Amino acid sequence: MKDSEFAMIQLSFYNQTPTMKKLLLILTLGLFSFQQVQAQTATTKKQELKHVVLFTFKASSSKASVDSVIKAFNHLYGTVPQVKNMEWGLNMSPEHLDQGFTHCFSLTFSNEKDLANYQLHPAHKAFQTILKPHMDKVFVVDYFVGAR
């Protein structure tokens, strides 16, 4: 509630009968409580947890091998129930600040517990076995999506 609105309610409060004062007080408290609940709901809104993984593959890995790694990684979405969403793409940045990372995967989780369970899931362990012979470097960033 803005200060000017509160001052107007306060001024009109003193010019009312005792019954009207009670009614205005109840309405004011109700409005204030409603605004507090709305503010609290906005701040406790669930955040998404992003797990971003960038890979550089070994020069000795064939395109078919890299494609099989991509297919195996994409298979985790729908297999591991904690993965809420998944995207991937090839680096195409004109800035050339990628340090050789070519493939980017972004997975969405509801919370840190889901991310931890994903990392222990048998399908994720199987993926790591497929990846390991072809991975040159990996870079991982986890973050909660911030407000705009």
Side-chain angles (χ1 to χ4, degrees):
M1 178 179 300
K2 296 178 184 172
D3 290 338
S4 60
E5 291 172 334
F6 182 74
M8 199 163 75
I9 290 172
Q10 193 177 25
L11 180 63
S12 65
F13 180 77
Y14 291 112
N15 296 329
Q16 301 299 321
T17 64
T19 305
M20 285 301 289
K21 284 182 180 180
K22 287 179 187 176
L23 182 60
L24 282 172
L25 180 62
I26 290 169
L27 288 172
T28 301
L29 289 174
L31 178 63
F32 180 74
S33 296
F34 178 73
Q35 286 180 335
Q36 289 298 322
V37 167
Q38 281 185 321
Q40 186 176 11
T41 301
T43 58
T44 59
K45 183 180 176 184
K46 282 190 171 187
Q47 292 183 312
E48 290 184 330
L49 175 59
K50 296 289 187 176
H51 176 67
V52 179
V53 183
L54 294 99
F55 292 117
T56 298
F57 291 97
K58 292 179 180 176
S60 60
S61 293
S62 68
K63 182 179 179 337
S65 296
V66 172
D67 288 346
S68 70
V69 170
I70 294 168
K71 183 178 179 180
F73 204 160
N74 280 316
H75 183 68
L76 294 175
Y77 179 68
T79 302
V80 181
Q82 292 85 0
V83 179
K84 302 299 176 199
N85 194 17
M86 181 182 216
E87 302 174 317
W88 81 276
L90 294 172
N91 177 45
M92 44 70 67
S93 175
E95 296 171 303
H96 305 291
L97 300 173
D98 50 58
Q99 298 179 27
F101 290 98
T102 55
H103 292 69
C104 180
F105 296 83
S106 177
L107 292 81
T108 304
F109 297 91
S110 296
N111 51 52
E112 291 167 284
K113 181 181 176 189
D114 283 356
L115 174 59
N117 288 336
Y118 155 78
Q119 291 169 331
L120 298 173
H121 194 281
H124 182 253
K125 297 286 188 186
F127 164 71
Q128 290 175 325
T129 303
I130 295 168
L131 168 67
K132 199 170 195 172
H134 305 290
M135 183 184 69
D136 182 34
K137 293 190 297 184
V138 64
F139 183 79
V140 178
V141 176
D142 297 326
Y143 64 95
F144 283 101
V145 177
R148 291 187 180 144

